[in-house]
Amino acid sequence: DSFAAMMLDLYPEGPLSGRERATRRPTEDALDEARLRVMAEVKSMGPYMTEGERRFARSLKRRLPRDAVVLTNVYLPKQGAILEVDAIVIAPMGVWAVEIKDWTGTVEFRRGCCIHRDRQVSDPRASIDMKARRLRGILADARMDHPINSLVVIGSKNVSLTGRLDESVHVRPLDEAVD
């Protein structure tokens, strides 16, 4: 509850640029107020980058319990850089940092890479795992110790996943991820 509210309080003025979002820090008053609020909604912190992200947010809005919050397109600061997390899901059953890929066709997950449409592409599991670690650090700085789970969701219905799907970070098609 307090984590979701704190993340929402980071952006009370509405849409900000990625750099503005990444450099904002919550005030103590905002943190205290955030700890008291509970919201049940999908809150977009920036524009959706893919149709898969939009489908994921719509699916979660319909299927998650009322006391869950989904923050999409959240920007995190990291040593002069900005990390974009496709979604942060805060629900009674846990907190997840989610990377959403709008891939179609067959995707084979191997150690350290993926094969998609006969091309080697970076494995999104390493990226979302690093973003989840950064999110844990931000929470620790705010004296909120929450475990963060990492998840990769393939947002297309026309996908076949093979290989090492549960190796370090779970990979799920959209329908399985939101059930």
Side-chain angles (χ1 to χ4, degrees), residues 36 49 73 87 98 111 143 147-149 174:
L36 300 175
M49 299 299 177
N73 303 305
V98 183
R111 180 165 285 158
R143 295 183 302 276
I148 308 293
N149 303 292
L174 178 62

Side-chain angles (χ1 to χ4, degrees), residues 5 7 19 25 28 49-50 53 70 99 105 122 139 151 160:
M7 292 302 290
R19 186 158 304 284
R25 293 277 187 207
E28 283 301 314
M49 299 299 177
T50 67
E53 291 178 8
V70 179
E99 180 74 21
S122 356
L139 290 175
L151 176 66
S160 172

